[in-house]
Amino acid sequence: SLQGGEKLMQQANQAIDEQDYDTAQDKLKSARQVFNQLSNLHQQLAKSFQGINNRISKEQRSKAVESGNKRDQATFQLALVHRAKQEPALAIPLLIQVVRSQNPDSELGKKAYKQLQELGFVETPLQGN
């Protein structure tokens, strides 16, 4: 459930505050999985009602987007945990996933790109940063 994923995120944030990065990593991986599955299920349901009941279809699309945004937030946090653990090779693919999913113009996309720049994976800064 969405609440279950959010609880995992809270537990991960608490572990990060305590610098328990292994626990944070586990909680964030689980949260990503929960949010991704929810997003996919809501998308499937939205497609099922497309053209039959547009209200339900729209509602499910909205829930898919919300779950996808939470997945991307968990992904970004997980990348930061990998950075804290001196594991840039694990952080970079996650940051790229965030940029692709969120769009480079979004707030989270910009943050992810900035992390890629700090890691030396990209050189060109985004305009307006």
Side-chain angles (χ1 to χ4, degrees), residues 55-97:
R55 181 176 168 202
I56 292 173
S57 181
K58 185 177 178 180
E59 175 185 281
Q60 291 304 308
R61 274 195 312 268
S62 177
K63 289 183 178 199
V65 168
E66 179 184 4
S67 299
N69 286 334
K70 290 185 180 292
R71 176 204 55 224
D72 294 342
Q73 291 168 3
T75 302
F76 181 76
Q77 284 293 105
L78 181 57
L80 295 181
V81 167
H82 284 302
R83 281 203 68 186
K85 292 176 67 177
Q86 304 299 314
E87 300 171 337
L90 297 175
I92 289 169
L94 296 171
L95 294 167
I96 291 171
Q97 286 176 19

Side-chain angles (χ1 to χ4, degrees), residues 1 4 7 21 25-26 39-41 59 71 75 88 101 104-105 121-122:
S1 71
K7 184 175 181 179
Y21 297 125
Q25 181 178 327
D26 291 341
S39 180
N40 289 336
L41 291 171
E59 175 185 281
R71 176 204 55 224
T75 302
S101 178
D105 288 336
F121 188 76
V122 297

Side-chain angles (χ1 to χ4, degrees), residues 2 9 15 23 29 32 38-39 44 50 81-82 106 122 126:
L2 198 60
M9 290 288 290
T23 298
K29 282 182 179 180
R32 282 181 72 221
L38 284 171
S39 180
Q44 290 172 12
Q50 198 169 19
V81 167
H82 284 302
S106 71
V122 297
L126 280 174

